[in-house]
Amino acid sequence: FERLLAIGTQPTEIERVRAQIQTKISQAVPGAKTMTEFCARLQSLGVKPIPRITRTGIVQGLSYQQGDVVIRGSDLDQASFPALQSRGVDYEIERDLYNLKTVLKGGQIDLSEPWNVSKESMEIKKSQPVSVPTYGGSRQFLSIDTTIVSVI
């Protein structure tokens, strides 16, 4: 239990929860093609994934929480971040980082939205005036039409 973390629980309780988390991870992996899908499935099963993410979006590890018990993925069978990737759970920064940060902040993943990209980061108004410096140092205002294309 050297790497098991628990708050106010007995070892027998830790063992019981550890087995439950392991079972739920085994249920969540099949069919989860992306890390976003995997985390959403775990959340629906009552397990909170806790990613360790660097400022550059690199995932350094994954822990799991159920109730007061937190267990590192490397302390479970085939549940570490690299092990999940070798089992077919793909991670792409552009696709999954927003959702992993959402999970880290205690939020729920909503799989009904394509790519689950923050709506705030996607707000673009049509014909937005943009100030563009010209060669002589003066400023000229242009109107740029923008369109958001959804990725499938």
Side-chain angles (χ1 to χ4, degrees):
F1 295 117
E2 60 276 355
R3 290 207 262 168
L4 280 178
L5 305 174
I7 303 169
T9 56
Q10 299 298 318
T12 55
E13 174 70 7
I14 293 171
E15 291 169 0
R16 185 182 65 75
V17 173
R18 178 184 180 170
Q20 289 175 351
I21 290 172
Q22 183 71 62
T23 299
K24 291 175 182 180
I25 290 169
S26 297
Q27 293 170 349
V29 169
K33 295 178 182 173
T34 68
M35 196 57 64
T36 293
E37 291 174 356
F38 172 72
C39 290
R41 287 175 181 221
L42 275 182
Q43 286 181 323
S44 71
L45 294 170
V47 176
K48 177 184 177 184
I50 306 171
R52 286 183 305 284
I53 305 169
T54 67
R55 283 183 272 145
T56 58
I58 305 297
V59 178
Q60 293 183 325
L62 195 57
S63 295
Y64 305 93
Q65 180 178 2
Q66 182 174 303
D68 291 336
V69 178
V70 178
I71 301 174
R72 295 174 109 174
S74 58
D75 289 332
L76 296 167
D77 184 38
Q78 296 291 303
S80 67
F81 191 75
L84 290 170
Q85 290 177 305
S86 70
R87 293 173 73 182
V89 180
D90 186 47
Y91 173 71
E92 290 181 18
I93 289 176
E94 297 83 12
R95 181 192 58 223
D96 299 314
L97 182 59
Y98 173 78
N99 289 310
L100 290 184
K101 286 184 175 182
T102 297
V103 166
L104 191 57
K105 293 176 186 176
Q108 288 289 120
I109 294 175
D110 180 6
L111 290 178
S112 66
E113 292 189 32
W115 268 34
N116 294 342
V117 177
S118 163
K119 289 181 181 167
E120 293 77 28
S121 69
M122 294 298 289
E123 284 183 14
I124 299 174
K125 296 177 183 168
K126 285 193 165 244
S127 299
Q128 219 171 356
V130 177
S131 173
V132 179
T134 59
Y135 179 67
S138 63
R139 291 200 164 290
Q140 190 175 13
F141 287 91
L142 304 174
S143 180
I144 300 174
D145 285 336
T146 57
T147 306
I148 298 175
V149 178
S150 61
V151 179
I152 298 174

